[in-house]
Amino acid sequence: MVAAASVLGAAAPAPAAPRAANGQVVVFSTELQPLDVYNNPSGCQQLPTVAHVLSNQTDRPVQVYGNPFCVGPSAVVQPGFGTHVPGGAGSFSA
């Protein structure tokens, strides 16, 4: 029984790697700077230092963090929505 369980466990497929979001995350910082555009974002992305507003134009929710490491509390931004982002060293993950 134990041998059968170990064989079945070894035959289990590996978990799928997270896929990139399709679309763009667009970040507005100031009127004097061009928009920062993240095409098909995947993983943790550090926000510009003076980032002000994030717009999620992807097909998946993104999470916004108050630190550059995508850890700790976060705000979820659904596709088609936006949010004000923390200044300084924020980040988002898709």
Side-chain angles (χ1 to χ4, degrees):
M1 183 79 105
V2 172
S6 65
V7 170
L8 290 176
R19 69 174 178 84
N22 292 319
Q24 298 177 328
V25 170
V26 179
V27 178
F28 167 79
S29 292
T30 72
E31 291 81 359
L32 302 175
Q33 295 175 276
L35 298 170
D36 289 284
V37 179
Y38 301 83
N39 291 305
N40 303 320
S42 175
C44 185
Q45 304 289 327
Q46 187 169 355
L47 291 168
T49 305
V50 292
H52 188 68
V53 175
L54 177 144
S55 175
N56 180 8
Q57 299 173 2
T58 71
D59 62 346
R60 298 181 52 177
V62 299
Q63 292 181 275
V64 177
Y65 301 86
N67 62 68
F69 310 110
C70 295
V71 296
S74 64
V76 176
V77 182
Q78 295 296 328
F81 287 82
T83 188
H84 287 270
V85 294
S91 60
F92 76 91
S93 65

